[in-house]
Amino acid sequence: MATADTQTRRYQEPGAPGNAAVVNPDPRTVTGPAGGTGQGDVQTVDGQLRILTEELKLANADLRSEDRGNFCDHPPEVIKPFRAFWENFLNWARSESLWILGFGTGCGAIELRPLMTSRFDMYQYGIQGRPTPRQSSVFVIGGYASVKTMKRIVRSYEQMQGPKFVLGLGSCTINGGMYWDSYNTVNRLDHYIPVDVYIAGCMPRPEALLAGFVKLKEMIKRGECEGANRYAENFEWYKANQKRIIKNWDMPDYNW
Amino acid sequence: MMTQILTVLAFLLMALGVWGLMSRRHLIRIIIGFSLLDTGVHLLLVAFGYRSGGTAPILSDGIGVSGLVSGAVDPIPSALVLTAIVIGLAVTALMLSFAVRMYARTRSIYIDKNKELKW
Amino acid sequence: MVSPVVLIAASLGFAFLYPLVERLGERAATRIALLVLAAFAGTTAGWTVSLIGSGVALTADTAGFVAPLSIQLQVTAVDALAMTVVTLLALAALVQLTERATDRWHGKQVVLFFVLLLGSYGLIMTRDLFNVFVFMEISGISVFGLLSTSRDGRVFEAGFKYMVASGLASVFFLIGTAFVYRSVGSLSIADITAAAPVALASPVGVMGLLFLVTGILIELKPAPANGWAIDTYQAADPGIGALLSAVNATAMVFVLVRVMPILAGASPVFVPLVLIAGAGAFLIPQAQALLQESFKRMLGYSSVAQIGLVVLAIVIPAAGVPFAGVALAVPLVLLLNHAVAKATLFWIADATGDDASGFGGSLPASLRGRPALLVVAAIAVLALLGLPPFPGFWAKWSLVMGLAAGGHIGLLVVVLLGSLLEVVYLGRWLIMRMRHVDDDATVVSQRIPADFAESRADAVSGAASGASDASGAAAGAIPVGATVSLGLATLLMAGASVAALLGSGVGMPVLIVLIGVAAFAVLDVLRIPLRLQAIVAIAGLSWWGVSAVSGAALTLQSGFVLLFVGGAVVQLVALLARPGRRAGLVALIVGMVLSLAALTAATSPLEVFVAWELMTLTSFFLVVRGRFAAAASVRYLTFSLASALLMLAAFSLATAANPAFGTGGGVIGTLTTSVPWAAVLLALSVLIKLGAIGLHIWLPSSYAEAEDEVSSLASSVLSKAGILLLFLGAGSFAAPLFAGVALNQVLGWIGVITALAGGMMALFQEDIKYTLAYSSMSQLGYMVLAFALMSHLGWVTALYLAVNHLLFKGMLFLAVAGIVMRTGTRLMYQMGGLIKRMPFSFVSVLVGIIAVSGVPPLAGFGGKWLLYTALIEQGWYLQAALALFSSGIAFLYLFRLIHSMFLGQRKTHHDTVTEAPAAVLIPQFVFLVIIIAISMFPNLLIKPLQTIVEPAFASSVRWEGYTVISSLGYWNGNAVMYVVIGVFLAPLLWLLAVKGRTYRVEQFNIVFAAERPHTPQSTHYAYNFYGHYQKAFGRLLDPWVERFWSGVSATAGTVSQTLRAWNTGNPQTYALQILLYLFLTYLVARGGL
Amino acid sequence: MTQMILTKALYTVISLAVITNYALILIGTMARIRAKVQGRVGQPFYQPYIDIVKSNAKRTSISHGVMFFLGPVFRLAGGLGTYLFIPAIFGSVIFSNFSFSGDLLLMMYFIFFGQLGMALGAGESGHPHSAIGVARGLAQMTAFELPFVLSVVALAAQYGTLSITEIVAAQQGGFTHWAAFTNPLAMIAGMIAFLGMSGANPFSVVVAPQEIPIGPPTEMQSSFLGMLQTNRAIFNGAKMVLFMNLFWGGAAHENLLVAILIMVVKTFLIYLYVTIVGASFPRFKTEQSIRFFLGVPTVIGIAAVVLQMV
């Protein structure tokens, strides 16, 4: 990736739309923004980026034509929760069975390991690791997300089945942290994927991570973790943001 | 007695012929060996038909059929030998002509240079 | 009637007159010569007809005296027949020689030709010992003269050797004649024969006869003293080769026939002597011929070998069926069969103008585009090999029967071994001639492109095979002379075949086979398209099959007819998918099915054997049609005919011990013999056909390299012939044979090891057809195992497995045919993801593999249940465990098959493939429906099978409704089906109820360690699927058997090399060999040193 | 007739409910026991229930095609069927299931049913790791099948029957009659094979988390995964019940509840054995486990069979 682009990108980073501004009222947990501004606010690169075709299918403009047929071109959809009582039960189950995607995206991943040990024992909270995004419900972004990793984060996030939850671990996910002026580090994670809980600190201790999980569980039980729906709702906004920094896209616009 | 001597001689001649046939490298000599062998066989045939003191089996004045039967040598071997000689002659001639053609082809009259076909 | 003398005089006269006749112009003269020959042929034919009618000989005394004073000429019916054939062949030869493109015969060549003919006539007719010598020399000199006109300069060298050798032979003959004359006092063969027991019994007499017979033998060019003759065959004009082999040699054999009574009368040493000489003369050249690169030289070896066989036949009285009553019938038929066939081959060599034998793969595939020439060549080769329906077959059968009856086991071995060697080299030539132009004749295992390139052009294409045959026809047109002569020879052979068949007493079924093949061959000639032929065949076979079994009680016989005909008819439907024409395909398939049916109907060992051979032949020609099948079909032909020869040996031994062996036929245990070796040979023969471990190396490549429809037929239908044979020979295997061990114990182990080994090898094949072929081998192993149990349940199992195998292997092979047709590749890793493009094929394969692997609820489980129950019931525990293990292995390769083809990633260039044609799908779904039916209601199949087995064993299972109960366990296929439906539907409904919104995604929508898949090729896990298995077994999986057989092949090559090095090319060595031969005959006559 | 079918259906539901719940709790308990060994608190014993509910509560799922969709169904059907063809409790009408449909052979082959379906589903997902996992799994399966088959054959030879009910019947009358003691070699071979069958360490190369993510079910998610989790419980239960029947005298008592208790204890111990071995050994590579099974256990199995022959 050309350095010039990223340099430009750093100084032109758009303000988060509307209410998406990140505040960090609590150094331990941060609830994320409610998402983008919705349809019509599509950010385009050189005025050419189209995410959806007129038939509301994925344009997959960055794929070679011979590859397009090999990828599903259905955009993500908002799926409404069930009625309160039943959904509450399901949310309870979801919150009590948190499966982490085993993808250490940054240095913070080191803080995940102690959770398995007898000292912290995440299993007693119904948390366990899972090697494939298909089966995971929680994506822990372990600290700074470089542009290169971001592409994989997007892909993995999209491959998880909703409802799915994102934990931003460490200050880097909030504002870039100590890498805030690096040419290749993403400063605000929730411009790219919806984040449910931020855990501030550099690095947060495992206890902090656990606390974040507990917070997440509470939020799930309250029905506040609708990141997947938010992502679908503001799909084009997220895509525009992602594509602005990820230059060698070479994957479908939504990775089913 | 004569028959035995002739027989022995015939076999000697044949052995000589075979020896020539087997040991010479020159094609013409081989053919000569072959002729000797042939002649030996002819001699053998004649020897088998020979009767000591017998006359030639020619029906002529003074000798009746009975005289011929009792006095002459067996005529059949003689007749056979005549045929055999003719045939032997023909074969020898053919062999010689083949030898000439072989020489023409390979420019060699020796047998070792004329054994291209084998196995 | 014309006097024999006239023929001699006319030949000679015409020879002398010919220079004058030629004044009329060369063409006219040759036409006149042909007319004269035709007149001769008419004369001899007239003699034949009248003499066979009257049964007396035609005699003529020369020079106005009666024998012994004069030379007597005599013609018996046999002589007349031989002379007719010789004349006809001479006529054909003359046409060929005077009407060819280059080196047309004229002038002195025609003269010499007539002299040669005169010599041959004389040799056959004369009854005077010295006169024999004269005619021998006349023939000889004319041959030398003709030789000298050959274009190849080496012919003089060869001719010189020939003269030296024949000179020595004449010398021996003359010496012998002299001794005989001295002892007997007459040259008339009749007189000598009469006097022999007295006058020639003395040492001197025996000595003389020894010379005499050695002279005759040398003239017959016996190995190992025949290098000169071989050299001559190689160098001579093939036209002369044909004359030498067909005319001259035939006549010379009659000299031996005349002298044999004298020899036999004089001393008992001569019969063994001639036997040994004949055996040596037959076997040694066959071995020497193996490595020949010159076709003419190879034919030369074959000729001398065939004459050796005739010599054997002269001495052995025929004890077999067809010609038992007629004196000299066997040698005569062998002789004439050889004459016609060998002349044909020489003419073909002349017409095609190339002298390559096919050894080393150097031969152009020149017959592929010339169907007529191909048919002629095939007829000649098959006739030479002694295969039905050609006359040589019956003679060989009688000869072998005679050998066994006479207790000549050594000679039996010699004859069979020699025949096998002949199969190798003549078969190789034919196959190399017939092969596809693309075929380098090396393909005996799967071929993986070296660079893994996904090039479609490189892909092994079964779809195109046979389509572009015409491209093979590069060579020029066949000269008119050759056409006429080949046609004449073929007509002669055909006529003789029909006559022999009618005279053989073998029943209708064989005739039906031939008529079936001929009828469809006619359709080919009429250029009827394949589809129409297939429809005709389907209709015809269905009608025939129905009429054959309708009303008949269910027995082994009718059961197998149903299996063979039904299985084939259903699969024939697949041919409707092929547009255009495929010469011979339907004819051969029909022939194969009918010969299988003939096998079921056979009521005597001979009929079994004929049907077996016909089946082998038709299937061989089906296999050889494959695009890359040349090397595979060499193996197929060799092993199949080895199997046939073993069967022949078994039958002969069994018949020798019990003349009633095998008569009656068609029921279980017909071919039961109590002769241990016969049983072993029979078992070996069947095991070869069933591809048992160690004998299997022909199977994978033959099944895989054949055309796709043929593969399915061969694997599903044809392979069951061996099973039928097992049942027919059942009783042979049950009794303890050696050290108290019954053959069935051995068979059982062989079966289970075959099942395991076949499965293991199937695991590591990338080529789908090889996978299926090895799978067939494995399944046949199961059948052998089940059969070997020799119990009621075992036999029901064997039959059940056979039926099941027919169904699922037909489905699988046809599904594969459809896929190969569409994708253009046979390599599984080059496929993938086809389920969405070919869903029906997928269903068919799925049901097929479930049926193979025995997963309930489908019918395959029935087979497994029966098998293990039967095995454990008999106490064959270890076999049961091994069988179960190999059934696990089967599951492995089957999953690999369906995964690699249908699941995983679809290649981009397969995005547009469509479902297989309906014609290919229909038979699959017919089988599918049958499988489902017998799965639901196992009694539909098992009960009839019990009926079939009933005559041999009382039932050991009982039925309660749909539950079959054995002494060990029970199985209710019906209940299982319902339970499975239940436990399947419940989760399915549950899933449909609770699943969230489900998105149907495409093949690249997979988690891929957060990356996207690059190409389908790099994402499809299919190549070397079970690499870890290979690793786990290590050296155990080395191709031991393949190695063993290459060793055998190499050894045969070494033997051949050593033996042919004996023929050094030096006339003096040859002379020495001849002298040694004389010495050897002396030693044999003396009975040792 | 209708009444009969309804009764049978009811019994089936009871039988399945018992085995499913028991096996789920057993899995949870075993995880908790393992946690205790490691000095952790561990997940609640009812965690498997939550996980299954969670999986089924996913709002979206993706399907790679018909076979992918049906794969888990086949798998679960295989598990259910396997259990249903085994008489779970000796002498109990309710728990006799559908064992009248076939004997031990049927059961052994029906195990393949689920394997095949799952393998097909995994295959259609198009993920190479699924295929690798399947290849490994099938290869390992054939390997442990051999000692298992040998021990089964030894049992069949010993008792002269292939009917599971009769094998259990023959073992009644005190623990000395159990096949484990009357035919120890067969038991050893069978129990070693059982380790492979249960897929725990050291024979876990099939799923091999972190290497080929999780093998065959890599692409399985949401309700599909839920079905697989359910099946894991039932199938494990079925296999343990089978081994209990084959070697450990089955579960028999005139009082059904006591019989169930016996079953619980015995299967618990069997599962404990698998757990202990799994916790003690590292993972084998595929070729290592193939060689392992075809080595000592096979020899022991052959010895067991040969002992029956002499």
Side-chain angles (χ1 to χ4, degrees), chain C residues 403-427:
Chain C
L403 285 173
H408 304 286
I409 303 303
L411 291 176
L412 186 68
V413 173
V414 164
V415 169
L416 297 181
L417 191 60
S419 306
L420 185 60
L421 292 172
E422 194 167 27
V423 168
V424 175
Y425 65 83
L426 281 176

Side-chain angles (χ1 to χ4, degrees), chain C residues 27 30 34 37 88-100 104-105 113 347 479-486 488:
Chain C
R27 304 287 283 181
T30 51
L34 291 176
L37 268 181
L88 284 173
L89 283 177
L91 176 65
L94 196 62
V95 175
Q96 188 258 345
L97 288 162
T98 55
E99 298 290 331
R100 59 184 174 179
R104 284 193 176 156
W105 275 19
F113 172 84
W347 293 333
V480 57
T483 313
V484 172
S485 52
L486 289 173
L488 192 60

Side-chain angles (χ1 to χ4, degrees), chain D residues 147-148 151 185-195 197 243 247 273:
Chain D
F148 176 55
S151 71
L185 287 179
M187 183 273 286
I188 293 171
M191 291 310 282
I192 296 179
F194 184 63
L195 290 176
M197 213 179 277
F243 275 74
F247 301 113
Y273 147 78

